[in-house]
Amino acid sequence: MSTPATPPRSLAEALRTRDDASLAALLRSRPDLITPVPTDLTQLATRAGTRGSVVRALERLDRFALQTAEALAVAGDPASYDELVGLMAGDARDAVVVHALPRALATLREQALVWGADDRLRLVRTARELLAPSPQHPSPTGLGPTVAEATAGMSPGRIQEIVTAAGLPSTHDSVSAVAALTKLFTARRRMKALLGRAPEESLEVLNRLVWGPPYGQVTAEPAARLRWLIDRGLLLPTAPGTVVLPREVALYLRAGRAHRETEPLAPAVEAKATHRPQVVDTTAAGQAYTALATVEELMKDWDEGGPTVMRAGGLSVRDLKRTAVALDVAEPVAAFWVELAYAAGLLASDGDADERYAATPALDEWLELPAAQRWARLAEAWLTATRTSGLVGGRDAKERTLSALGPGLDRSAAPEVRHRVLGLLAGLPEGASPSAESVLARLRWERPVRGAGGAQRSTEGAPAGAQGGAQGDDDLRSRLARWTLSEAEMLGVTGRGALSSQGRALLGPRAAAPVGTDRGRGAEGEDGGVAAGRGGGVAAGRGGRLAAAGSPGASGASNPSDLSAPSDPSGPGDKLPVHHHHHRPPTPPEPLSPAEQAAASAAAARLLAPLLPEPLDHVLLQADLTAVAPGPLERPLADMLDVLADVESKGGATVYRFTPGSVRRALDAGRSASDLHDFLTAHSRTPVPQPLAYLIDDVARRHGHLRIGAASAYVRCDDDAVLSEILADKRSAVLRLRRLAPTVLAAQADPAALLDGLRAMGFAPAAESADGDVVITRAHARRTPPRTAPEPVPDGPPTPDTTLLSAAIRAIRAGDRASTTPLKTTPSPTGDLPRTSSAETLATMQAAVLTGDTLWIGYVNAEGAASQRVIAPIRVEGGFVTAYDHTADEVRTYPLHRVTGVAELAEG
């Protein structure tokens, strides 16, 4: 086992030097490492080096930590801390970068991507393979191969020619020649002298290659400016017609920097406007009220059965357009409300043969809740859902159109991005609304986009302010962030772009300041980031004067005189264990548990409730056959008005219009004229206008005068003059009516079509049953069988809780102890488990009870699964051994006949 005096020789040995807190930090940041729990630290180290796990860890690094890993990938293996500082801070030793580097290195160490002491830093082999430069996968740094790598297949004679042309004495072998050439390219003063003799055209060639890609094409007879570089090894051939700029030469031209632009500090989230918190809360409350009204209107529209489900699943484009028209919103907005209702469990497919979307029984429970609690249910469903309505209308990998409520809309990163965006808003002063670009820039710094080869091509070499162009709006996280900002505004989580009080409560009490900054740092952090970011750009922009690029001032690094130096300049980071808080980077708050999220939603509902208008029990009737609802109405009143009148306009006040058709609809539902008069009198603050009373009486007098039944269909009326009027009307020709008796007409249309046709002609017929009674038509609410809300698709294994971490670490350490501790007796070589006779096993157990020794046993359970355990026997009797199991950290009893063998562990 490694000790502080013995440098670790592998990642497994480095992990053995960690304490439990450090291992817990590793497993918490990389939960895939304990799925399932490794048997020992060697298996944990092996799993931490697999390609899938390393890629996942790299994708969760912030930009500066990733740049540090990229710099280690082009450094020596192993590399010293001073070499890493040179690659990150350049020859000018940018103070901001130097101060931030221990934090980035601590992050890489904590996540087991880097191990070793400061003089022997090693990047995990898989990470080096992903980030190191190669012709197929260029490095994110834009650097090429080293001189030794580029000359690996070159003839000894050609290498000696290059050494001689560069002004170096010839050597006896190629190895020493390559070493001499490397030493020349890494010596600043000698390189300055060599490039001082270079033609201006040759320097321009180097300037085009310095920041990558480092490869260029040449002809069989290169031009003079290229020949001068090739003869001296400043360009080395890698394939016929291809040359490369060696890494050592590029680093000299870059003034030692591995990256053109190093970003040690997170971009600040800028506030573009500031509003009074009361204004923000009331605006958000108004949006919350509108959101509730929109969802209720959607469910009312689908109450009798919504659109059919397409064969491939989801809504058709036609049904989405119809829903958008019904809600009076754009189609993308309609898709958002439909998906939100689905995520909240309010609608689902009914599962019938003719499958349609319909409300679930949960809708009726939801409608009975107070308005603030209804909003909290919607907001919580939105915050945790992985379905992403912004993708509707796009195409999947197979070029199939993505439809609302259809498959393919789940994006595992959506909940994390929503929480992070709202967390950034929570870090601003109350009432401050950020600019979208600053939020996107911050998210891109926290999770930079990596290309197929691990390269960040869209940001590498681009100024910080231009990152929102090529890269920013195309990657998924940026689109999710933009959708989050707009959806939060529609839902009432934010108001005027600023986070509301109820939105802040929705995040829970652990909503923290932005990652990587302190709330009080403000402009200092922002200025420092800009200064650091400009360090390499000057050298690139002035590449035509490359002879001076090696001087300390040529890198263009910012003057650090206005920045305070680190209070502890000694610290590369490993002088303290990686779990010490001094070197641990800030991390976002952990996701809320279901119970914590429910408590946060309840708190948000309590804050919202006083801001929502109270439901009213009255309307204002107007003489122009309209009624004005000056606010939200109580549910029975609103339901009755929806039947009796048509909604004419919405807003702060809803205007209802009474028409003959709407009054007839109420009469068809079983209401009488006196019922309607009593209802309006009871719920109007103004007298019932005479035109409205006349309208109700007139429609009621004619309602049911005509009776329609099924013969195929017939019309019956006691007044034969009315039937004669119908037959004389040209519009009745399509109904194909004929008189059977003075008071009866027969039709070849079905009763429903006959009803609609006569109503279109201005009559008020009523449907008649086989017994001659009027059929009362009421809207029948359609409900699906009980359905649960869709489960979010997890983004990898969940973050383990403290209990699971403690148990996993105990098991790993016990297994590691069993596999690494020397044994007093050697087990049989025929298997991994110790093999001893029953008598020897019993004797060893009994002796261990007396001496208190710890034993290593092999055990086979009832299912036949074999395992190894480290136990301290307490009692042996009746064919059982009772012992303290170090693996499970508890006292257990084992049948002796299931123990395959026993071995004593050496002391210490």
Side-chain angles (χ1 to χ4, degrees):
M1 183 178 293
S2 300
T3 64
T6 305
R9 296 168 298 176
S10 65
L11 178 59
E13 291 189 2
L15 292 178
R16 289 189 180 100
T17 64
R18 295 191 177 196
D19 59 13
D20 288 353
S22 181
L23 283 180
L26 167 63
L27 299 179
R28 187 178 291 108
S29 61
R30 298 177 64 177
D32 57 295
L33 298 182
I34 56 169
T35 310
V37 177
T39 58
D40 53 31
L41 288 171
T42 300
Q43 189 179 77
L44 176 64
T46 302
R47 192 177 296 176
T50 58
R51 183 181 180 88
S53 181
V54 170
V55 168
R56 185 179 181 85
L58 291 175
E59 289 176 347
R60 279 159 172 72
L61 295 176
D62 61 54
R63 188 181 300 280
F64 188 60
L66 182 59
Q67 287 181 331
T68 304
E70 293 164 354
L72 283 172
V74 298
D77 188 20
S80 67
Y81 184 77
D82 289 339
E83 181 181 359
L84 178 61
V85 171
L87 290 171
M88 294 298 294
D91 296 342
R93 291 299 194 266
D94 189 328
V96 179
V97 177
V98 172
H99 187 45
L101 189 57
R103 191 270 305 171
L105 187 58
T107 299
L108 298 177
R109 276 195 169 113
E110 182 178 88
Q111 300 198 21
L113 295 172
V114 171
W115 58 276
D118 287 345
D119 57 343
R120 296 182 63 83
L121 295 173
R122 291 185 182 274
L123 188 66
V124 172
R125 179 174 56 84
T126 307
R128 179 174 289 273
E129 293 173 355
L130 289 168
L131 300 176
S134 68
Q136 295 77 22
H137 301 291
S139 168
T141 61
L143 293 170
T146 61
V147 173
E149 294 169 346
T151 58
M154 191 176 293
S155 65
R158 177 59 185 146
I159 295 177
Q160 294 297 335
E161 291 176 2
I162 293 175
V163 169
T164 303
L168 300 174
S170 60
T171 62
H172 298 289
D173 55 69
S174 299
V175 176
S176 58
V178 171
L181 200 60
T182 301
K183 188 175 181 179
L184 168 65
F185 291 161
T186 54
R188 295 289 190 260
R189 185 174 301 176
R190 297 169 65 189
M191 273 294 288
K192 181 177 181 180
L194 176 62
L195 292 178
R197 302 191 299 269
E200 188 70 22
E201 294 82 3
S202 298
L203 296 179
E204 291 178 359
V205 172
L206 294 179
N207 182 54
R208 289 198 296 269
L209 298 176
V210 63
W211 291 109
Y215 295 90
Q217 301 296 319
V218 296
T219 60
E221 294 295 332
R225 66 181 185 277
L226 296 175
R227 174 56 61 188
W228 192 93
L229 298 171
I230 294 173
D231 289 345
R232 288 156 182 79
L234 297 173
L235 291 179
L236 293 173
T238 58
T242 303
V243 294
V244 67
L245 181 68
R247 187 181 305 170
E248 294 85 352
V249 177
L251 286 174
Y252 168 78
L253 299 176
R254 299 177 176 196
R257 285 183 178 270
H259 296 85
R260 187 171 191 171
E261 180 182 345
T262 307
E263 300 181 55
L265 300 178
V269 179
E270 302 171 354
K272 67 177 181 180
T274 302
H275 312 280
R276 290 189 300 109
Q278 295 84 355
V279 173
V280 171
D281 290 345
T282 54
T283 304
Q287 290 296 112
Y289 168 71
T290 303
L292 291 175
T294 304
V295 172
E296 290 177 15
E297 185 176 357
L298 169 67
M299 301 313 301
K300 190 179 299 180
D301 187 48
W302 290 12
D303 197 48
E304 298 181 49
T308 57
V309 181
M310 293 193 300
R311 182 178 302 175
L315 280 180
S316 65
V317 175
R318 181 191 308 170
D319 288 329
L320 181 60
K321 288 182 177 179
R322 190 196 65 79
T323 302
V325 171
L327 299 180
D328 193 21
V329 296
E331 291 175 33
V333 178
F336 167 70
W337 294 120
V338 169
E339 284 289 341
L340 179 62
Y342 177 62
L346 304 182
L347 65 86
S349 60
D350 56 16
D352 294 343
D354 181 20
E355 197 171 15
R356 307 177 72 88
Y357 289 106
T360 65
L363 174 65
D364 301 313
E365 301 174 5
W366 181 75
L367 291 174
E368 295 300 322
L369 296 174
Q373 294 183 25
R374 295 203 305 273
W375 176 86
R377 284 273 298 273
L378 295 179
E380 181 180 346
W382 168 77
L383 193 61
T384 58
T386 55
R387 292 187 62 85
T388 309
S389 64
L391 298 172
V392 172
R395 295 188 177 274
D396 61 10
K398 297 182 179 180
E399 290 300 313
R400 295 174 299 194
T401 302
L402 297 173
S403 58
L405 300 180
L409 294 183
D410 283 291
R411 295 296 182 270
S412 300
E416 186 265 332
V417 172
R418 293 191 191 108
H419 278 89
R420 190 68 200 111
V421 170
L422 297 182
L424 291 176
L425 269 61
L428 295 174
E430 291 188 6
S433 61
S435 64
E437 292 306 320
S438 67
V439 173
L440 297 181
R442 179 55 171 271
L443 291 178
R444 286 193 291 268
W445 186 89
E446 293 179 356
R447 293 282 181 87
V449 178
R450 299 177 61 248
Q456 298 160 240
R457 298 197 181 113
S458 54
T459 58
E460 221 24 76
Q467 290 174 1
Q471 170 202 3
D473 293 335
D474 293 334
D475 67 279
L476 177 62
R477 288 180 63 85
S478 294
R479 287 185 290 155
L480 288 172
R482 289 190 179 276
W483 294 333
T484 296
L485 292 172
S486 62
E487 291 169 0
E489 191 73 16
M490 288 191 295
L491 195 53
V493 177
T494 60
R496 300 196 178 187
L499 189 65
S500 64
S501 298
Q502 58 267 25
R504 196 178 303 270
L506 191 66
L507 298 178
R510 291 183 293 181
V515 173
T517 61
D518 298 326
R519 283 199 175 190
R521 189 160 65 186
E524 178 186 346
E526 183 181 356
D527 295 340
V530 173
R534 294 175 181 170
V538 177
R542 299 178 181 175
R545 300 213 179 345
L546 292 173
S551 60
S555 68
S558 61
N559 185 359
S561 60
D562 58 336
L563 296 172
S564 58
S567 58
D568 182 14
S570 63
D574 76 330
K575 295 188 171 47
L576 293 174
V578 297
H579 62 274
H580 281 205
H581 294 287
H582 179 71
H583 291 288
R584 176 174 293 175
T587 55
E590 295 180 7
L592 300 178
S593 66
E596 291 173 332
Q597 186 61 68
S601 300
R606 287 194 296 270
L607 290 174
L608 177 64
L611 302 176
L612 293 177
E614 290 291 336
L616 303 178
D617 62 352
H618 65 275
V619 295
L620 305 176
L621 296 178
Q622 311 272 355
D624 59 351
L625 298 181
T626 61
V628 177
L633 300 177
E634 293 180 348
R635 185 156 306 282
L637 175 58
D639 292 342
M640 184 59 195
L641 273 179
D642 286 337
V643 176
L644 181 57
D646 299 323
V647 176
E648 187 169 79
S649 65
K650 300 176 183 177
T654 304
V655 178
Y656 294 87
R657 167 132 343 241
F658 299 95
T659 64
S662 67
V663 175
R664 177 195 51 76
R665 189 170 60 229
L667 296 174
D668 286 343
R671 303 286 182 174
S672 64
S674 59
D675 293 337
L676 299 182
H677 284 299
D678 294 341
F679 169 79
L680 294 175
T681 302
H683 292 92
S684 175
R685 287 290 177 87
T686 58
V688 178
Q690 193 176 54
L692 179 57
Y694 284 171
L695 174 65
I696 294 174
D697 292 338
D698 183 57
V699 173
R701 183 175 59 255
R702 294 184 293 115
H703 182 263
H705 195 52
L706 295 176
R707 299 293 183 89
I708 293 178
S712 174
Y714 64 85
V715 182
R716 180 173 65 83
C717 182
D718 295 336
D719 189 351
D720 58 349
V722 175
L723 298 182
S724 299
E725 180 183 353
I726 293 173
L727 289 173
D729 195 322
K730 294 180 179 180
R731 292 174 293 178
S732 66
V734 295
L735 302 177
R736 304 176 67 180
L737 298 170
R738 60 189 179 89
R739 190 186 292 269
L740 296 180
T743 58
V744 180
L745 297 180
Q748 297 186 20
D750 61 87
L754 185 56
L755 275 168
D756 294 337
L758 291 179
R759 286 169 180 169
M761 294 169 60
F763 296 95
E768 185 175 76
S769 67
D771 298 328
D773 299 325
V774 174
V775 176
I776 297 175
T777 57
R778 291 190 179 93
H780 295 284
R782 182 171 182 151
R783 294 291 182 266
T784 70
R787 295 279 194 267
T788 57
E791 289 291 333
V793 177
D795 185 17
T799 302
D801 56 23
T802 304
T803 303
L804 176 58
L805 282 176
S806 300
I809 291 173
R810 286 197 304 268
I812 293 171
R813 289 207 183 277
D816 196 64
R817 182 180 179 185
S819 62
T820 59
T821 303
L823 305 177
K824 291 181 178 179
T825 57
T826 305
S828 171
T830 58
D832 295 330
L833 299 179
R835 301 285 179 179
T836 55
S837 65
S838 300
E840 186 178 358
T841 298
L842 179 60
T844 306
M845 292 280 192
Q846 291 173 336
V849 172
L850 298 176
T851 61
D853 289 343
T854 302
L855 304 179
W856 175 44
I857 67 170
Y859 182 74
V860 179
N861 63 16
E863 287 75 27
S867 62
Q868 54 184 351
R869 299 176 180 276
V870 178
I871 65 171
I874 301 172
R875 182 172 61 255
V876 179
E877 61 181 6
F880 293 88
V881 55
T882 302
Y884 177 76
D885 190 330
H886 289 273
T887 306
D889 195 22
E890 64 182 8
V891 176
R892 291 186 174 181
T893 300
Y894 298 100
L896 285 175
H897 69 274
R898 294 193 179 278
V899 178
T900 64
V902 62
E904 296 183 43
L905 299 179
E907 296 180 1

